[in-house]
Amino acid sequence: MQDFKKLPTVLTADELVDKVFRRAARAEGRTPKEKALNKLSTISNVSRDYFKKIITSHPSYENLPEFYREMVDVVVGIRNLKKALAALKWADGMIQRVISKGVREIKGGKNPSVVVRATYGRVASIIEQIDDELRFLNDAKNRMREIPLLLDIPTVVVAGYPNVGKSSLVSIISTVKPEVASYPFTTKKINVGFSDFGGRRVQIIDTPGLLDRPLSKRNRIERRAVLALKHLADVILFVIDPTETCGYALEKQLSLLGEIRTYFKRPTIEVYSKADMHSLGDRISYSAISGEGVERVVKEIEKKLEEVYSQTSTVIAPSGQTSTQEQHS
Ligand SMILES: Nc1nc2c(ncn2[C@@H]2O[C@H](COP(=O)(O)OP(=O)(O)OP(=O)(O)O)[C@@H](O)[C@H]2O)c(=O)[nH]1
Ligand SMILES: [Mg+2]
């Protein structure tokens, strides 16, 4: 599994030029010629190592599991990432050529300090040419940190319109405590928490709110929720706010529910939030404020997950370690 939190910080062009030349300045030599050659080989090594570190910190995006690949694409764009990494490879190759030329010139008898100065200028100009790409890669690293590490265990994805109470519920029934606020699109990324339901470990995913509109019209925040539903959900928990205090009509919420059922074809649980504000009885109702009904929601999740468990079950051992048992029925 890919841990994007381990991607390294990427220096700007100015910072990288500084790093390379500072290291080169420390190069020693018994003669001016030897010292100049050592400076050039230091530039060659330091820049090559640096580019290699950044390039190899990225996985091969084609080979990532689909969820991660599509998530990286939504969060930063794989084409842009590849273009930026290719620019680093280009700069690496160019710098090596410029250094080789300098080395040849010094060995051929040209004035070492003149060659070194000219080579420094060329190297700095090559690095400056990839400043945008270096900055992009650092920004991408920061954004990719939001992509969580997921476990291959039974997973419940909590979805619904914005502001209906998804995060409030997830925060009660799992380990993750997402931000809750009284306005839509508070949750902008997917949050992963865990629960032990009847001694079994379950992954609970809080998602950004979805509006009832075609996929092509969905913004990048909504598309994170779609990816979680598409790739991760064994069970979907759809939260409906019948009080409409979320700011969206019940009819719209039910239309989204219909689409999610049709499109994702997963076992789906429908619940009403904000039971402290209504007394409807046609669906399971719960309140994140008073806690009433939450236990019924959990029971319903457990029931739906039984289907998933009948294929694979993860049991918490008495030691606290988890082990996965395959059950063939
Ligand atoms: N009265 C009442 N208010 C609730 C309940 N659950 C959530 N709220 C309130 O509804 C608002 C939205 O709650 P969130 O949990 O942030 O909703 P969300 O669905 O995660 O919202 P987004 O992340 O924006 O999609 C907050 O002001 C909560 O305090 C509930 O059961 N009863
Ligand atoms: Mg939320």
Side-chain angles (χ1 to χ4, degrees), residues 167 179 187 206-207:
S167 298
E179 189 189 343
T187 303
D206 179 34
T207 62

Side-chain angles (χ1 to χ4, degrees), residues 54-55 58 61 80-89 137:
I54 302 301
I55 291 165
H58 286 264
Y61 288 102
N80 298 335
L81 264 177
K82 284 190 174 168
K83 267 173 64 185
L85 291 169
L88 265 58
K89 272 190 196 141
L137 286 170

